[in-house]
Amino acid sequence: MNSRTFELTNPATGVKSALPVRSGSIGPDVLDIAGIARDHNVFTFDPAFGVTASCESKITYIDGDEGVLLYRGYPVEQLATKSSFMEVAYLLLYGELPSTTELQTFNSNITRHTMINESLLRFFNGFHHNAHPMAMVSAVVASMSAFYHDSMDIHNPRHREIFSHRIIAKLPTIAAAAHKHSLGQPFVYPRNDLDYCSNMLSMFFAVPCEPYRVDPVAAQALDLLFILHADHEQNASTSTVRLAASTGTNPYAAISAGVSALWGPAHGGANEAVLAMLEQIGSVDNIPKYLAMAKDKSSHFKLMGFGHRVYKNFDPRAKIIREMCHKVLAKLGRTDNPLFELALRLEEIALKDEYFVSRKLYPNVDFYSGIIYSALNIPRSMFTVMFAIARTVGWVSHWLELIGDPGMRISRPRQLYTGAARRDYSEMAQRR
Ligand code: ACO
């Protein structure tokens, strides 16, 4: 708590109230406005939550001006170089880095939950072959609630833990099933002798008629991308999960809501849109034309993978991924990658352009991630699914924090009503 207050005077009534200022461990203070409806009969108006802290959280911290991202206090750059996705998952879920034994136990818990019920597998046959994988993933995740009645008491900490392990373990299996369905290939069962990302690659790319060897370079690249996408405080999809979960709905329904929110091109769908945009631009010569379109408000064209609500300096994840692109493409022997070259030039030119400079628009996490996914042979329609797999860890961590909070209430924003005032029903004959 902070001893500072802001004084608010209602000009109509002269009533004064002191609004408390609350301080976090780091970052800007927040003004606690919970009492203003009671004291002044007004609500606050903040469309798109530009300046609203919707909750208190101990999981992830972002400093948008300095380009800082911390998971449970640890800088993402350190985790990216020293850690693994499973270790980061443990950190986000439980709050501390695991000991060797804790990590082994966690790994083994996740590994033991990788299979999905055979009936759930049959759901995929109900989808058209060209269904978008995000449609399949959100539907199948929501459907999981029909399979685990015995462990869905959200007030039971053990049930919550089992759910956490299940959803993190099964998301790659569901994603791979969606991918295989779109190819018309048989589903490949998980392999519990492989680590999380190697198993995912195996389920994606193995076929029953020949042996498959996971490329460790690909598995490592995926692991790093997953670390960078694991959590990002109260972003749109995480806020969606929290809002849905605040109703007490089952956690599979809440995570499915998060998957749907992530799908949009302003959020996780941007990675797919970036590649489409780069292909559309086609060559360096066309960059000025497309930059002009991005600046023209009537064109509806945006530079995908550019801009962020919070980062106004640079996105630290984009920096790491750009570096990683060079390394991964070199290791995979794909240095001649025209789309990567085009992306580098586009970034360079945009960052010298007054429009982007003045609005502090920088490449975000998704500007370069699609180039790596493509190099790993992951199809473009699966990019946002990859993001969803990683972000599931963040969603679950926030869900656990929310449900574990004794003060949890249903989230229910208010509105500024600008529709018709009260009026009487008019008979059909009297209407124009
Ligand atoms: N291309 C062109 N102009 C842009 C872009 C862009 N990518 N992003 C923002 N702007 C402009 C806006 O038009 C606005 O201009 P104005 O002040 O003249 O009206 C100004 O920059 C501020 O942008 P807002 O839209 O107000 O910023 P907001 O915080 O609401 O949106 C967002 C952030 C959604 C990320 C936006 O920058 C965007 O649409 N980017 C492209 C999509 C994208 O890459 N999304 C991924 C985000 S990261 C993630 O979720 C994983």
Side-chain angles (χ1 to χ4, degrees), residues 46-318:
D46 179 25
F49 307 116
V51 292
T52 295
S54 61
C55 63
E56 191 180 316
S57 182
K58 294 180 168 46
I59 302 172
T60 292
Y61 173 75
I62 302 173
D63 182 333
D65 294 326
E66 296 298 322
V68 170
L69 170 59
L70 311 177
Y71 292 163
R72 300 282 188 184
Y74 296 102
V76 75
E77 293 84 353
Q78 290 182 20
L79 294 167
T81 46
K82 298 184 177 179
S83 188
S84 67
F85 178 60
M86 275 298 99
E87 193 181 23
V88 166
Y90 184 99
L91 173 68
L92 287 168
L93 292 171
Y94 297 103
E96 296 298 336
L97 288 169
S99 66
T100 311
T101 325
E102 284 166 338
L103 186 57
Q104 275 167 357
T105 310
F106 181 66
N107 262 322
S108 130
N109 282 332
I110 297 296
T111 303
R112 289 220 186 90
H113 283 295
T114 46
M115 290 215 296
I116 55 174
N117 189 297
E118 288 291 305
S119 311
L120 206 49
L121 207 49
R122 287 197 284 276
F123 278 36
F124 289 92
N125 291 332
F127 287 99
H128 199 53
H129 67 90
N130 63 359
H132 195 286
M134 284 296 275
M136 295 191 251
V137 172
S138 63
V140 172
V141 168
S143 307
M144 283 169 78
S145 59
F147 289 78
Y148 301 111
H149 300 287
D150 58 335
S151 52
M152 267 194 330
D153 176 1
I154 59 170
H155 302 296
N156 180 327
R158 180 62 190 134
H159 283 200
R160 299 204 289 259
E161 186 168 47
I162 293 172
F163 157 75
S164 310
H165 295 164
R166 260 193 192 131
I167 192 83
I168 292 168
K170 292 184 199 306
L171 236 288
T173 316
I174 293 168
H179 177 53
K180 289 295 189 186
H181 177 72
S182 62
L183 293 177
Q185 284 185 3
F187 173 69
V188 172
Y189 284 89
R191 274 182 50 191
N192 289 355
D193 60 319
L194 296 176
D195 62 74
Y196 192 82
C197 289
S198 301
N199 172 49
M200 217 206 76
L201 289 169
S202 159
M203 290 190 293
F204 263 60
F205 298 118
V207 285
C209 43
E210 57 188 58
Y212 175 77
R213 199 190 66 82
V214 178
D215 182 344
V217 173
Q220 262 173 21
L222 210 52
D223 199 81
L224 181 51
L225 282 174
F226 282 5
I227 290 176
L228 299 176
H229 282 93
D231 193 40
H232 214 229
E233 55 121 295
Q234 309 308 323
N235 58 85
S237 56
T238 302
S239 298
T240 302
V241 170
R242 277 186 178 262
L243 195 134
S246 78
T247 67
T249 191
N250 73 75
Y252 297 100
I255 299 293
S256 168
V259 174
S260 300
L262 186 75
W263 195 357
H267 192 13
N271 53 14
E272 187 180 338
V274 168
L275 261 253
M277 175 191 76
L278 290 174
E279 281 177 9
Q280 192 185 353
I281 296 175
S283 83
V284 174
D285 295 344
N286 291 331
I287 291 177
K289 181 176 119 194
Y290 282 92
L291 280 191
M293 271 166 68
K295 295 189 261 184
D296 175 4
K297 303 289 176 204
S298 64
S299 80
H300 298 295
F301 178 84
K302 275 191 169 181
L303 210 52
M304 299 314 288
F306 255 74
H308 197 274
R309 172 62 63 80
V310 184
Y311 293 121
K312 300 297 174 196
N313 181 336
F314 64 92
D315 180 338
R317 304 166 301 172

